[in-house]
């Protein structure tokens, strides 16, 4: 039993260090999102390129879109696939941290226009903060690395919960910081409670 | 623990680490848990199918204000509404003025007919899970709407608290690095833990675009 505080202290130390880059990622991207950060364009225009492609049947599906993207060497998470059957055109926006690619396919002419736009480090942090998110759930995670990221974000959350639990335990056995510690805990809880009550009840 | 080269830095880092951690504990739980909810469509946390809708019509006096936001603020006061003004729009004919007021748990669409001096107020209320999720994203601004501004005092306060939590987390990380540096007997294992985190995080932030 005497070893429990030592183990907990080590767990808190190592877990905190592993998670610290992720905590910084979420903290910085929170500020960027909260202040509507927008990338300052550094390039005169997004890089645009038109090429011929082979078009198979089944336009509008995710598998079909992925097959077209493979031909164009475009990788990333497909945001959505919009098939305009009347105009025989496909729109496939693809994202990855720090880069967005817009692919427009002319099914009749069998050509594809690929437009790449770098989003910079801020854009990458914002993208990772928002992914996988609550939108387009049916197709989200169509890129393997986004599925990995989804597992990583879940692990970060569970890790943070474990970190706070171990932190509470370590504070509990540290008698010297009881008074101010309780004051901070109560003040923080009261601040959250008062703000949520005001937002929801006013 | 061996004494660090500068004991006052270590002592203050330890105190700051404990106090900040305790102050932001509930904030952190809230944002961590709501983030988890946003990433998973768990059935137990469904809120949209259980929403409650109501519609009422109310007489209004025509606002004197010239700007859309001032007109909306005037109508909100008359209709007894509070929240963040999301958008306004003037429909044809120009006597129709519409706007949306939102806050966690409630979305209110107001359609004012200025020629008849009436307003239709359509309200959607969601359950606690809906409130919980919205608190995570309730900033009052949208990245793709550069002209939107926070106009409700509580949105400003909530948004400020998000910044404060973010700053608190950065300070927690900095103080944890100082404290880890003070534990010399753990330097190698600490460095392995930190470098593992940096490599994994760096892979997603910088590495994916090169794949």
């Amino acid at each position: 039993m005497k070893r429990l505080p030592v183990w907990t202290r080590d767990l808190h130390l190592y877990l905190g260090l592993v998670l610290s880059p992720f905590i910084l990622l979420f903290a910085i991207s929170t500020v960027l999102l909260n202040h509507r950060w927008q990338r300052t364009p550094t390039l005169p225009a997004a890089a645009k390129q038109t090429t011929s492609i082979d078009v198979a049947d089944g336009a509008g599906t995710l598998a079909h879109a992925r097959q077209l993207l493979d031909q164009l060497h475009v990788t990333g998470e497909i945001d959505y696939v919009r098939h305009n059957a009347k105009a025989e055109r496909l729109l496939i926006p693809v994202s990855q941290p720090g880069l967005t690619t817009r692919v427009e396919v002319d099914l009749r002419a069998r050509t594809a226009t690929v437009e790449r736009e770098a989003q910079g480090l801020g854009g990458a942090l914002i993208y990772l903060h928002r992914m996988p998110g609550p939108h387009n759930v049916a197709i989200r995670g169509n890129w393997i690395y986004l599925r990995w990221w989804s597992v990583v974000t879940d692990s970060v959350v569970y890790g943070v919960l474990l970190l706070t639990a171990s932190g509470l335990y370590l504070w509990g056995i540290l008698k010297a910081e009881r008074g101010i510690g309780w004051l901070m805990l109560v003040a923080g809880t009261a601040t959250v409670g008062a703000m949520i009550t005001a937002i929801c009840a006013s | 623990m061996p004494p660090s080269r500068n004991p006052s830095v270590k002592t203050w880092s330890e105190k700051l680490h404990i106090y900040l951690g305790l102050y932001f504990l509930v904030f952190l739980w809230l944002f961590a848990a709501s983030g988890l909810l946003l990433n998973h469509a768990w059935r137990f946390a469904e809120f949209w199918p259980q929403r409650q809708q109501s519609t009422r019509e109310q007489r209004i006096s025509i606002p004197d204000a010239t700007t859309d936001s001032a007109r909306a603020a005037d109508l909100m006061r008359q209709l007894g509404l509070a929240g963040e003004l999301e958008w306004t729009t003037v429909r044809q004919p120009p006597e129709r003025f519409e706007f949306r007021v939102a806050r966690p748990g409630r979305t209110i669409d107001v359609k004012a007919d200025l020629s008849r001096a009436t307003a239709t107020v359509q309200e959607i209320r969601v359950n606690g899970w809906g409130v919980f999720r919205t608190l995570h994203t309730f900033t009052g601004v949208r990245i793709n709407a550069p002209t939107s501004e926070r106009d409700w005092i509580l949105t400003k306060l909530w948004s400020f608290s998000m910044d404060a939590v973010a700053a608190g987390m950065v300070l927690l990380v900095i103080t944890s690095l100082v404290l880890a540096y003070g534990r010399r007997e753990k330097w190698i294992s600490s460095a392995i833990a930190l470098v593992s985190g940096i490599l994994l995080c760096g892979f997603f932030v910088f590495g994916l675009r090169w794949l």
Side-chain angles (χ1 to χ4, degrees), chain B residues 105-117:
Chain B
R106 259 189 252 184
T107 307
I108 303 158
D109 286 325
V110 177
K111 292 176 182 172
D113 186 339
L114 303 177
S115 62
R116 288 176 51 228

Side-chain angles (χ1 to χ4, degrees), chain A residues 24-59:
Chain A
L24 288 178
L25 183 156
F26 284 109
I28 294 165
S29 54
T30 295
V31 176
L32 296 178
L33 282 162
N34 206 13
H35 295 280
R36 213 173 23 207
W37 175 87
Q38 296 245 294
R39 185 184 68 91
T40 313
T42 48
L43 294 168
K48 210 170 182 176
Q49 191 186 349
T50 303
T51 46
S52 298
I53 48 161
D54 292 327
V55 181
D57 290 337

Side-chain angles (χ1 to χ4, degrees), chain B residues 16 78-79 111 115 130 135-136 141 143 160 165 181 207-208:
Chain B
L16 196 61
Q78 292 184 47
L79 298 165
K111 292 176 182 172
S115 62
L135 283 168
H136 192 105
V141 293
I143 212 145
F160 173 77
V165 174
Y181 180 75
L208 290 185

Side-chain angles (χ1 to χ4, degrees), chain A residues 9-10 14, chain B residues 1-2 180 182-190:
Chain A
R9 199 167 176 224
D10 286 350
Y14 299 135
Chain B
M1 185 188 294
R183 293 183 72 181
R184 287 180 187 227
E185 78 283 7
K186 305 278 182 187
W187 269 8
I188 293 172
S189 43
S190 295

Side-chain angles (χ1 to χ4, degrees), chain B residues 105-177:
Chain B
R106 259 189 252 184
T107 307
I108 303 158
D109 286 325
V110 177
K111 292 176 182 172
D113 186 339
L114 303 177
S115 62
R116 288 176 51 228
T118 57
T120 307
V121 182
Q122 202 168 39
E123 185 169 350
I124 297 174
R125 282 174 184 254
V126 295
N127 62 23
W129 292 114
V131 174
F132 194 52
R133 277 168 58 125
T134 316
L135 283 168
H136 192 105
T137 54
F138 188 59
T139 60
V141 293
R142 271 171 294 168
I143 212 145
N144 51 0
T147 53
S148 65
E149 292 296 335
R150 298 178 186 101
D151 47 66
W152 194 34
I153 180 76
L154 291 171
T155 319
K156 289 177 185 171
L157 274 173
W158 188 248
S159 144
F160 173 77
S161 72
M162 284 178 169
D163 283 346
V165 174
M169 292 308 110
V170 172
L171 279 173
L172 275 171
V173 168
I174 293 169
T175 51
S176 71
L177 293 177

Side-chain angles (χ1 to χ4, degrees), chain A residues 171 174 176-188, chain B residues 11-25 168 172 175:
Chain A
W171 167 64
L174 199 70
E177 300 296 347
R178 286 272 167 84
I180 303 176
W182 270 113
L183 202 67
M184 299 307 278
L185 185 58
V186 170
Chain B
T11 308
W12 279 108
S13 294
E14 196 170 65
K15 283 184 183 295
L16 196 61
H17 193 82
I18 294 169
Y19 302 155
L20 282 175
L22 288 167
Y23 185 80
F24 288 116
L25 182 74
L172 275 171
T175 51

